[in-house]
Amino acid sequence: MASKKIHINGIVQGVGFRPFIYSTAMKFDIKGWVRNSSAGVDIHATGDENNITDFIETIKSSPPPLAKIDTLIETTVVTDEFTDFKILPSKYIPEAFVPISPDVSICSECKNELFNPEDRRFRYPFINCTNCGPRLTIIKDTPYDRPQTTMAPFIMCDQCKVEYENPLDRRFHAQPIACPNCGPYVWLERENHKILRGDDAIQNARQLLSDGKIIAIKGLGGFHLACDATNPKAIHNLRERKKRSDKPFAVMVFDVKTASKYCTLSKSEKSLLNCKESPIVILKKKNDQVLPEAIAPGRKTIGVMLPYTPLHLLLLEKEKSFPDILVMTSGNMSEEPIVTTNESAIEELGSIADGFLLHDRAIFTRVDDSVLLENNGEKYFFRRSRGYAPNAIPLPMETKEILAVGGELKNTFCLTKNKYAFISHHIGDLKNLETYQAFSKGIQHFQNILKTKPEYIACDSHPEYLSTKFANSYSEKERIPLIKIQHHHAHMASCLVDNMWNGDGLVIGVCLDGTGYGEDGQIWGGEFLIGNYQEYERLFHLEYMPLPGGDKAISNPNRIAAAYLWKLGLEWDERIPAIHSISQEEKKIIVRQLEAKINTPNTSSMGRLFDAVASLIGLRHMITYEAQAAIELEQICNTGIDDAYDFCLEGDLIILKKIFTDIIDDLDHSVPVSTISSKFHNGVANMVLEAVTALRTLNGHHSVALSGGVWQNQYLLNKTQRLLEQAGFTIFLHKNVPTNDGGISLGQSMIANEILSK
Ligand SMILES: [Zn+2]
Ligand SMILES: [Zn+2]
Ligand SMILES: [Zn+2]
């Protein structure tokens, strides 16, 4: 006989860990106990020595699907007399923390019960178990127990209670456990009247969707607006009422098979669609697809997700007369944050939706759908949110407790502790008041649930970012030091952390981006850096071009094109589509701004160069959502073309004149715009290769990190990747966080930590 104490850390609570320990103890005839503490899970195991070894091996090798063991420490202790194995009440240690699980899409066992007429939860839209269901969206505080969630008002019925208390039940301590007798319910509301509840409500909503109506649906982390994705009129109505002219809508289909009817799917794309995080996966539309162009205008791709809650499954259920694909777009007005309460849905979405499918389980934290795509078999994030946040991201080294507040657009914040970074769900554009409030509340909430109190705060060096202003006052109020970090250094560091780079030596950072505040007060975004977590040097950048009207110019690529031509000394020829699209009056204003340098900052942004080219060739002169022109330029690329325009490197500058004269020349010779776009993309990829090769010759560095919003461009990314690989470079691409500004909070925290450790 032997005894061991075992302490386990990681995601081990709210994931069926104790029942698993309990049944494993039974299997190996182990006596003793298991207990949750606010620092993890503690086990006292007594039994045959070999059995204890097998017991521990089983814990390590086959934990429950949602569990993630970070550390398991075993110590031999004096053998105690136990007659059985018990689950003891939780022990609460105030300052200790255990990571909490993200929201998880419905598991296969719950799915089976949902559609099993014999089951007592047959067609119950809130079915869940320890392996699936809501988490982050409903947690108000830790330890993760029902009274600390938005399930608190629902009193468990006797049957649920038995399951909840039985260590061998799949629902043992499943905090959101519910059934039709005791849990939340759905209802349909039209013109301020509850008209139907339960399954009748869902069926009626389906009928309305079939009839071309728009329905607001309360989901897991917020509302969706849904309509029949095969009905152009319904989509048109949705666009018009939502005031969203071109930005693509995501769709939801019942299963992978339906997805493959509309999109081409690789094996790894199939598994991404099906994974427990259930993100929106960006897929290639089939050429013969029958979907209306209006779902994703100008795109070869479409964002697809599968139903991730029981309610979604019931809504999408297959039936001949029902559309097998629904638009499921965020429930908001244009750029507002997603609505989360029934009251605000009716108020804010009242002018959009023809009906409301509501329920009475409150959403505590607004969490948007995650968006990603597959790149060479790996996940590549555009937005990391539902299903992933607040999972810990492992860090290459121990860190101080730091709060990094991220950027201004696509904001996320990040808290570090021990060897982990906890990056928030997608917060959004801080310039929106409600989003800003969610940002400051979210920071407080994360500090609470993660039991952390930052010793330092890090922010972007842009003086006008609201996150910077927040950091200034937070630093003052809490009397903790503030570290300001250059935007592209943060991008580069974020990519390095994402690859667990250990910080030894120096790396080349190719930061191709839209906008970032530069050390010289200009707008950076086409940057070649050499550096590490502590410092960087800027070795090449795109030559500065004027941006008449500053940020306002961003929505008018034709103005950008005109300003670039002016600066490069090229004629404003009316045959150039960009020039032709600007009125004489407007031209005069632009010239005045350029000559007097009124509100005309300089920029080295690669994003703006893409905008300028898109307009120059007549593709897009004005945009209705961020990066629209650049995205449309990518969409018309033709992979069969290898020709490229030439950039020139002169000193530390990347010179643009030749690119522009060559494009204009091609326009003169009626070269198709798809060819011009391909030659431009190829030219950028060649230029990156040329620049990093020059840096390698100069400094001998072989590793290249690619970060910044422009690397969302898959054509450019793949082309560049191939060239750099062939030339023998080691390439770091983003893995767990987006390459756009959603990832910079991670980089900020790491840089701050290293600066402080110097
Ligand atoms: Zn389940
Ligand atoms: Zn019940
Ligand atoms: Zn950026």
Side-chain angles (χ1 to χ4, degrees):
M1 291 295 268
S3 273
K4 280 203 170 171
K5 276 206 157 150
I6 303 158
H7 179 73
I8 303 172
N9 228 318
I11 298 184
V12 287
Q13 292 188 13
V15 291
F17 205 77
R18 286 170 303 167
F20 157 72
I21 296 294
Y22 183 89
S23 56
T24 312
M26 298 290 116
K27 190 171 154 198
F28 293 107
D29 196 24
I30 304 287
K31 313 285 184 217
W33 50 261
V34 57
R35 171 174 76 188
N36 269 354
S37 86
S38 33
V41 163
D42 292 316
I43 302 166
H44 191 114
T46 294
D48 175 82
E49 209 168 331
N50 289 334
N51 282 356
I52 290 188
T53 310
D54 292 345
F55 173 65
I56 293 173
E57 250 339 283
T58 310
I59 296 173
K60 284 184 189 162
S61 63
S62 48
L66 300 188
K68 202 178 150 285
I69 297 176
D70 289 323
T71 54
L72 184 151
I73 302 161
E74 41 174 290
T75 27
T76 306
V77 290
V78 184
T79 306
D80 273 318
E81 284 296 315
F82 290 107
T83 51
D84 57 0
F85 193 87
K86 276 204 174 74
I87 295 179
L88 298 184
S90 303
K91 187 175 160 196
Y92 181 55
I93 307 169
E95 62 290 348
F97 87 107
V98 267
I100 59 167
S101 160
D103 303 281
V104 182
S105 66
I106 182 168
C107 73
S108 54
E109 281 162 302
C110 287
K111 211 189 261 185
N112 288 340
E113 288 180 0
L114 180 69
F115 291 115
N116 175 8
E118 305 298 312
D119 195 273
R120 72 185 192 93
R121 292 187 178 85
F122 177 54
R123 304 190 73 80
Y124 179 58
F126 300 95
I127 190 169
N128 69 81
C129 72
T130 47
N131 295 328
C132 74
R135 298 286 187 276
L136 175 65
T137 50
I138 61 163
I139 291 175
K140 293 173 159 177
D141 204 350
T142 50
Y144 173 51
D145 280 324
R146 190 166 172 115
Q148 314 258 42
T149 70
T150 62
M151 280 300 289
F154 301 95
I155 310 300
M156 262 181 247
C157 70
D158 290 346
Q159 272 173 300
C160 285
K161 205 157 183 214
V162 168
E163 295 169 331
Y164 182 84
E165 285 170 355
N166 174 8
L168 293 178
D169 194 280
R170 198 157 57 82
R171 297 195 167 89
F172 175 69
H173 281 215
Q175 306 305 340
I177 189 174
C179 78
N181 299 325
C182 67
Y185 74 103
V186 291
W187 70 90
L188 184 73
E189 211 163 301
R190 294 193 77 186
E191 285 149 15
N192 290 325
H193 293 291
K194 271 191 191 185
I195 52 169
L196 289 164
R197 59 179 281 166
D199 209 34
D200 292 340
I202 298 172
Q203 296 319 316
N204 200 277
R206 279 163 62 92
Q207 187 57 54
L208 291 168
L209 288 164
S210 292
D211 295 345
K213 298 279 191 272
I214 295 163
I215 305 291
I217 297 158
K218 188 177 186 181
L220 192 55
F223 273 76
H224 279 132
L225 286 162
C227 74
D228 177 356
T230 61
N231 181 338
K233 179 115 203 309
I235 297 165
H236 174 80
N237 286 343
L238 179 55
R239 284 212 179 273
E240 207 162 72
R241 295 184 200 167
K242 199 170 141 71
K243 299 192 171 50
R244 176 155 162 163
S245 41
D246 297 309
K247 203 173 175 182
F249 288 142
V251 295
M252 192 182 263
V253 292
F254 185 75
D255 55 13
V256 170
K257 199 173 155 223
T258 320
S260 59
K261 182 175 151 191
Y262 297 105
C263 305
T264 55
L265 280 170
S266 71
K267 214 173 143 197
S268 41
E269 283 169 335
K270 281 181 191 166
S271 53
L272 278 177
L273 273 179
N274 251 330
C275 71
K276 65 181 194 300
E277 293 84 3
S278 195
I280 295 173
V281 184
I282 299 173
L283 300 170
K284 276 185 206 72
K285 292 190 229 174
K286 273 196 173 160
N287 285 336
D288 58 353
Q289 52 94 17
V290 288
L291 290 178
E293 170 71 9
I295 295 178
R299 302 276 188 126
K300 289 178 188 162
T301 56
I302 186 168
V304 182
M305 63 185 144
L306 298 190
Y308 52 85
T309 69
L311 177 60
H312 292 138
L313 275 171
L314 294 169
L315 197 71
L316 269 287
E317 206 179 350
K318 276 190 176 172
E319 201 184 290
K320 265 205 195 82
S321 60
F322 190 70
D324 60 1
I325 181 164
L326 292 179
V327 164
M328 276 282 191
T329 186
S330 40
N332 56 1
M333 196 58 134
S334 201
E335 299 300 316
E336 303 276 311
I338 293 184
V339 168
T340 53
T341 66
N342 294 342
E343 296 71 35
S344 54
I346 286 165
E347 196 182 304
E348 290 170 39
L349 308 178
S351 59
I352 306 175
D354 301 303
F356 294 83
L357 195 57
L358 305 175
H359 63 71
D360 57 349
R361 186 178 72 200
I363 298 168
F364 187 77
T365 298
R366 168 193 301 124
V367 184
D368 295 65
D369 294 319
S370 292
V371 184
L372 51 75
L373 52 74
E374 181 238 5
N375 176 288
N376 292 317
E378 302 277 340
K379 293 195 292 280
Y380 196 65
F381 278 95
F382 282 48
R383 185 201 288 157
R384 178 187 181 272
S385 205
R386 178 184 50 75
Y388 299 94
N391 266 346
I393 291 188
L395 298 174
M397 58 266 288
E398 189 86 21
T399 64
K400 303 181 188 329
E401 293 194 19
I402 296 167
L403 164 64
V405 294
E408 177 110 315
L409 290 171
K410 301 190 172 65
N411 177 276
T412 63
F413 59 83
C414 171
L415 286 156
T416 57
K417 183 160 178 146
N418 304 339
K419 280 184 86 173
Y420 297 109
F422 299 90
I423 301 178
S424 71
H425 46 292
H426 167 81
I427 303 284
D429 179 359
L430 295 186
K431 281 199 287 289
N432 180 292
L433 180 64
E434 215 188 308
T435 310
Y436 182 78
Q437 287 162 348
F439 162 79
S440 58
K441 253 174 63 188
I443 288 174
Q444 197 52 54
H445 182 50
F446 264 53
Q447 286 181 28
N448 264 346
I449 58 177
L450 298 168
K451 306 286 176 241
T452 148
K453 185 146 185 29
E455 309 159 273
Y456 304 93
I457 181 164
C459 69
D460 196 276
S461 56
H462 198 308
E464 295 305 319
Y465 274 4
L466 290 171
S467 52
T468 303
K469 291 181 176 170
F470 174 90
N472 281 327
S473 64
Y474 188 101
S475 148
E476 240 170 65
K477 201 172 93 220
E478 301 290 327
R479 295 168 190 242
I480 59 170
L482 170 66
I483 300 113
K484 295 193 174 178
I485 290 153
Q486 201 280 322
H487 189 87
H488 300 102
H489 187 208
H491 267 301
M492 171 179 176
S494 159
C495 184
L496 295 174
V497 184
D498 216 351
N499 287 274
M500 289 295 270
W501 185 66
N502 65 7
D504 285 345
L506 296 168
V507 172
I508 302 170
V510 182
C511 300
L512 304 187
D513 201 23
T515 300
Y517 188 77
E519 269 172 29
D520 54 2
Q522 309 298 338
I523 302 170
W524 291 11
E527 313 302 317
F528 288 75
L529 313 177
I530 281 191
N532 53 24
Y533 293 129
Q534 274 172 26
E535 53 201 359
Y536 72 95
E537 211 181 325
R538 184 192 198 200
L539 291 179
F540 287 116
H541 61 89
L542 293 193
E543 65 174 310
Y544 280 133
M545 291 286 128
L547 210 51
D551 276 350
K552 282 214 181 74
I554 294 175
S555 42
N556 294 72
N558 54 359
R559 283 195 192 188
I560 302 172
Y564 280 32
L565 292 175
W566 181 86
K567 170 79 183 189
L568 295 167
L570 297 168
E571 194 196 337
W572 278 6
D573 188 327
E574 282 296 325
R575 285 176 305 172
I576 300 171
I579 299 303
H580 189 72
S581 73
I582 304 173
S583 70
Q584 295 310 323
E585 202 53 38
E586 210 180 338
K587 280 187 188 120
K588 279 185 204 146
I589 298 169
I590 297 171
V591 171
R592 248 199 323 268
Q593 279 177 320
L594 288 168
E595 280 174 347
K597 299 198 168 85
I598 310 162
N599 186 21
T600 299
N602 286 318
T603 184
S604 57
S605 164
M606 181 58 89
R608 294 299 84 75
L609 179 61
F610 270 78
D611 290 344
V613 171
S615 171
L616 198 69
I617 64 174
L619 190 65
R620 171 69 51 191
H621 301 306
M622 288 216 272
I623 59 169
T624 61
Y625 63 90
E626 199 206 350
Q628 183 179 5
I631 291 167
E632 290 177 357
L633 190 63
E634 177 197 355
Q635 297 291 318
I636 61 164
C637 259
N638 186 340
T639 40
I641 291 167
D642 285 325
D643 277 3
Y645 297 123
D646 276 332
F647 287 82
C648 318
L649 302 183
E650 272 179 37
D652 62 350
L653 294 181
I654 299 152
I655 304 296
L656 305 181
K657 186 161 182 174
K658 189 157 186 323
I659 291 263
F660 278 79
T661 49
D662 287 352
I663 292 176
I664 293 168
D665 194 48
D666 274 352
L667 282 173
D668 268 349
H669 290 88
S670 306
V671 174
V673 286
S674 63
T675 308
I676 298 180
S677 171
S678 315
K679 287 170 76 176
F680 173 68
H681 278 80
N682 297 343
V684 175
N686 289 347
M687 177 273 286
V688 170
L689 175 66
E690 193 187 335
V692 298
T693 306
L695 296 178
R696 176 167 65 181
T697 314
L698 210 66
N699 302 289
H701 307 304
H702 285 266
S703 299
V704 179
L706 305 182
S707 190
V710 171
W711 294 113
Q712 292 178 134
N713 183 318
Q714 293 303 294
Y715 180 92
L716 181 67
L717 180 70
N718 293 326
K719 191 95 191 171
T720 310
Q721 231 179 321
R722 265 202 306 282
L723 291 177
L724 297 187
E725 264 159 15
Q726 282 161 6
F729 286 96
T730 304
I731 306 162
F732 295 138
L733 294 187
H734 280 277
K735 292 197 162 91
N736 296 300
V737 299
T739 189
N740 60 41
D741 285 5
I744 64 171
S745 59
L746 177 64
Q748 289 173 344
S749 65
M750 202 61 197
I751 294 169
N753 184 63
E754 290 302 289
I755 289 175
L756 292 162
S757 310
K758 248 202 301 207

